[in-house]
Amino acid sequence: MTESVRDEFAAFGLVVEVEEAGEVIHPVAACNWQSLTAFLACDTQWRVVGVGLGGMIWIGLDYTACDVVFRRGHFADQAWDDVRVMEEAALPILNSGEE
């Protein structure tokens, strides 16, 4: 697992533990793999609004930009429904203000 992928998980409050001998692997069921990779492929497509001195409110994914990601990445339509569920789950975490 690369450092950037580990940081992406951390942005959603998920900690990937690393052991001395190697990484602890948290497997993803094969039926969920495309949905997860689609969600991660859209990770730069969040809409945010700046508030105050350095604060941000995460609004949600930019669906127009995500449509391009889906078409170029050849993701199945079913993955879109799953991405929206993950988006809904991620927003309260992103807007919690906790780091």
Side-chain angles (χ1 to χ4, degrees):
M1 176 176 295
T2 66
E3 186 76 19
S4 65
V5 172
R6 189 173 288 117
D7 291 343
E8 289 176 30
F9 279 109
F12 293 101
L14 302 170
V15 177
V16 179
E17 298 178 37
V18 178
E19 291 183 358
E20 187 82 13
E23 295 182 16
V24 173
I25 297 176
H26 300 280
V28 175
C31 63
N32 295 327
W33 184 252
Q34 186 177 54
S35 298
L36 176 62
T37 57
F39 182 72
L40 294 175
C42 292
D43 71 344
T44 60
Q45 306 309 323
W46 287 95
R47 287 189 179 189
V48 296
V49 175
V51 292
L53 297 171
M56 293 187 332
I57 297 175
W58 300 76
I59 304 298
L61 289 168
D62 181 335
Y63 290 175
T64 303
C66 289
D67 182 56
V68 173
V69 170
F70 264 68
R71 284 186 286 117
R72 300 285 296 194
H74 306 288
F75 294 108
D77 289 342
Q78 175 57 44
W80 177 246
D81 294 335
D82 296 339
V83 165
R84 292 191 62 211
V85 169
M86 289 184 270
E87 172 194 29
E88 187 176 331
L91 282 171
I93 296 166
L94 293 169
N95 287 314
S96 71
E98 297 179 19
E99 294 187 25

